[in-house]
Amino acid sequence: MSHPQHQPELPSAIQLNHTAVYATDRQLSAQLIAAVLGLEVGAPFGPFLPVDLGNGVTLDYYEKRDEPIQSQHYAFLVPDARFDAMITRLEAVGVTYYADPHHTEPGRINRLFGGRGAYFADPDGHNMEIMTRPYARP
């Protein structure tokens, strides 16, 4: 069977639009990430509760109570000028942040690739990351 020639899309033409984030309490989880990032929780859209990240991407929180939630990792590239405020908001709501993804360095940040970063768990154990510089790729 022959296949028609396929021309790959240019990477810049493809953008992530939204992703579903499973949560046992969509309101609680959406409010936490919105508070930390300094954003607003949007109006419900069907079964989803969106948090618009402002770059054309939404996190659509979806309640899933009938089975355990698999922990995922979500990394947010944030402006350096807003990083300290995000750390302050984490402290204000009593969420421990860590310098490393394994959560072994509590209350510390990292300085990877000339930026600053921190990890924290959301109410369902998703490993959230805020960072001011993207990771250098080979």
Side-chain angles (χ1 to χ4, degrees):
M1 175 182 236
S2 70
H3 295 281
Q5 287 287 55
H6 177 69
Q7 299 257 345
E9 291 285 333
L10 296 174
S12 62
I14 308 299
Q15 297 179 13
L16 179 65
N17 178 266
H18 66 275
T19 190
V21 180
Y22 294 127
T24 53
D25 181 335
R26 71 180 189 171
Q27 187 72 38
L28 178 67
S29 294
Q31 284 179 333
L32 174 66
I33 198 64
V36 170
L37 297 177
L39 302 172
E40 298 289 327
V41 175
F45 180 73
F48 301 105
L49 191 59
V51 176
D52 184 348
L53 300 179
N55 62 343
V57 178
T58 46
L59 297 179
D60 292 334
Y61 281 87
Y62 179 80
E63 273 187 25
K64 186 175 183 181
R65 295 185 175 181
D66 55 343
E67 58 188 82
I69 293 176
Q70 175 76 32
S71 176
Q72 300 293 317
H73 174 68
Y74 298 91
F76 303 93
L77 184 60
V78 303
D80 189 69
R82 295 177 55 193
F83 184 83
D84 290 333
M86 292 176 190
I87 293 295
T88 299
R89 289 192 285 268
L90 283 167
E91 292 171 342
V93 296
V95 174
T96 303
Y97 59 91
Y98 303 84
D100 65 304
H102 303 291
H103 297 193
T104 63
E105 300 178 56
R108 297 183 57 204
I109 66 167
N110 65 57
R111 298 196 178 275
L112 297 174
F113 306 103
R116 298 183 293 161
Y119 297 83
F120 60 96
D122 89 337
D124 290 295
H126 293 303
N127 196 15
M128 305 304 218
E129 177 183 8
I130 53 175
M131 59 186 186
T132 62
R133 296 278 166 93
Y135 293 152
R137 302 205 188 266

